[in-house]
Amino acid sequence: MQVNLAEAVALLKAGHVVAIPTETVYGLAADARNESALREIYAIKERPAHNPLIVHIGSSEQVLDWATGFSELAQKLAAVFWPGPLTLVLPARSAVSSVVRAGEPTVALRVPAHPVAQALLQQSGLGLAAPSANKYTQLSPTSAQHVLNGLGEAVPVLDGGACQVGIESTIVAVDGNQWQLLRLGMITEVALTAVAGVPQQIQLRPPKAPGQHLLHYSPQTPLQLFTSRAALIDAAARENSCAALLLGDGLIEHCTSFNVPNNPVGMAEKLYDTLHRMDALHVEKLLIEAPPRTVEWLAIHDRLARASHSLN
Ligand code: TXA
Ligand code: MG
């Protein structure tokens, strides 16, 4: 069910969940201080309770409402990358609900850049807990229609158009003057290191965000990755029914072909929408032309590997 901005603000303040646009993916939002609203998020997503949620805030001025400290390093990262697709995991104040942080001693914070998300945060005055607005393990939504298809008409959705970043935020744990990447995203390790001034410290925290596991971001249709167009064409010839995702131009015979821009920013923006459309064809196999393994493509590699159920 579509709602407008004023309705979304009223619903959130009354302790209901609303799917909202952000620049990365759509989030299933609720008042981060309202535990029954938070439980509703877990129930709708069918998400295990041990997987914590990101709290979205209006600006870095609100960080200390949630975290016990905002180190110089965390402030530097926030100053450059907020508002935007960066989530900072910081030591949590004890008052932060253990439901939102799933019992962790830390809280994940993000200031989203999307103007509609910003308007919601300003007008509601709330911190909004919001995981991606999809069922657990399924593809993240990058449009209001994806949310309705995945979660059903009963969930209120605020339409803010197609998400421009297109994949989930980069997650970084910061402890004092040390940092560690917990989830790859379009803000790369190189960009983070340049701002941090020090390389990441591996094993600062458990290496993965608790919610990072293999069966994530998956379409329903089996998906296979190919490191060359030639290998993909060979495989397509052996399939009864397939769809192909191609980097840049091209067309594969006997296979519905989808073309995405052959650059990381352009492909990220279209990735989930394209996978949603390929999945809807109900073919036997999705064949994906994998991008090169250079640093700027790593986040896309990560999502494709998870979608293919084979992390490599
Ligand atoms: O771009 C995004 O991050 C989107 C939009 C809606 O903001 N949100 C998103 O949320 O991707 P979700 O719940 O699908 O993924 C959040 C990830 C999970 O893997 C979770 O385990 C991790 O963040 N996370 C949350 N709080 C954490 C914490 N305190 N420590 C470590 N990881 C945490
Ligand atoms: Mg998610």
Side-chain angles (χ1 to χ4, degrees):
M1 160 195 28
Q2 299 249 3
V3 295
N4 64 30
L5 182 64
E7 289 165 338
V9 170
L11 283 166
L12 290 165
K13 285 171 105 171
H16 297 288
V17 300
V18 179
I20 65 163
T22 83
E23 70 278 22
T24 56
V25 300
Y26 274 70
L28 188 61
D31 177 354
R33 297 194 193 277
N34 182 326
E35 293 201 340
S36 69
L38 294 169
R39 289 207 176 85
E40 181 80 14
I41 293 180
Y42 284 93
I44 293 173
K45 275 186 70 81
E46 297 164 16
R47 175 172 174 130
H50 65 261
N51 190 354
L53 308 176
I54 296 172
V55 178
H56 298 72
I57 54 177
S59 79
S60 9
E61 275 150 43
Q62 292 158 31
V63 165
L64 290 173
D65 295 347
W66 304 90
T68 53
F70 194 18
S71 68
E72 211 175 298
L73 172 57
Q75 289 187 45
K76 271 204 258 182
L77 295 173
V80 173
F81 297 114
W82 280 354
L86 177 70
T87 296
L88 292 177
V89 172
L90 302 173
R93 294 181 76 113
S94 56
V96 178
S97 162
S98 65
V99 180
V100 80
R101 53 194 167 100
E104 297 285 322
T106 51
V107 62
L109 297 172
R110 182 162 98 82
V111 177
H114 196 294
V116 174
Q118 272 293 334
L120 268 175
L121 290 164
Q122 303 306 334
Q123 290 182 28
S124 69
L126 301 171
L128 294 176
S132 52
N134 52 283
K135 296 266 185 196
Y136 188 58
T137 78
Q138 295 188 356
L139 276 181
S140 292
T142 56
S143 72
Q145 193 58 50
H146 294 160
V147 178
L148 293 171
N149 294 347
L151 296 183
E153 282 290 331
V155 172
V157 182
L158 176 58
D159 191 348
C163 302
Q164 285 188 344
V165 175
I167 66 170
E168 302 81 356
S169 61
T170 303
I171 304 182
V172 173
V174 181
D175 197 354
N177 58 2
Q178 300 191 321
W179 64 283
Q180 184 184 357
L181 258 178
L182 299 183
R183 180 173 71 186
L184 296 169
M186 294 309 284
I187 296 175
T188 63
E189 182 180 353
V190 175
L192 290 162
T193 307
V195 173
V198 286
Q200 70 162 324
Q201 190 81 31
I202 309 288
Q203 300 301 337
L204 175 65
R205 301 221 174 271
K208 294 283 178 200
Q212 292 282 81
H213 64 92
L214 246 92
L215 284 178
H216 232 106
Y217 316 115
S218 306
Q220 310 287 319
T221 320
L223 178 153
Q224 198 177 345
L225 303 182
F226 297 88
T227 48
S228 77
R229 177 82 57 102
L232 187 153
I233 291 169
D234 278 355
R238 292 191 298 270
E239 293 294 336
N240 292 320
S241 71
C242 58
L245 183 151
L246 305 173
L247 294 171
D249 296 335
L251 202 72
I252 308 293
E253 268 180 61
H254 311 303
C255 201
T256 313
S257 303
F258 293 80
N259 302 91
V260 294
N262 190 7
N263 66 77
V265 170
M267 183 178 178
E269 182 180 354
K270 299 291 177 218
L271 178 63
Y272 289 148
D273 182 60
T274 308
L275 291 176
H276 278 287
R277 287 192 290 137
M278 292 171 82
D279 212 14
L281 296 175
H282 300 293
V283 292
E284 284 174 16
K285 185 75 91 54
L286 308 184
L287 312 178
I288 313 289
E289 184 176 18
R293 279 199 158 277
T294 48
V295 59
E296 65 277 15
W297 287 100
L298 284 182
I300 291 172
H301 262 289
D302 172 75
R303 301 309 190 272
L304 287 174
R306 288 169 197 285
S308 73
H309 305 184
S310 67
L311 203 58
N312 51 30

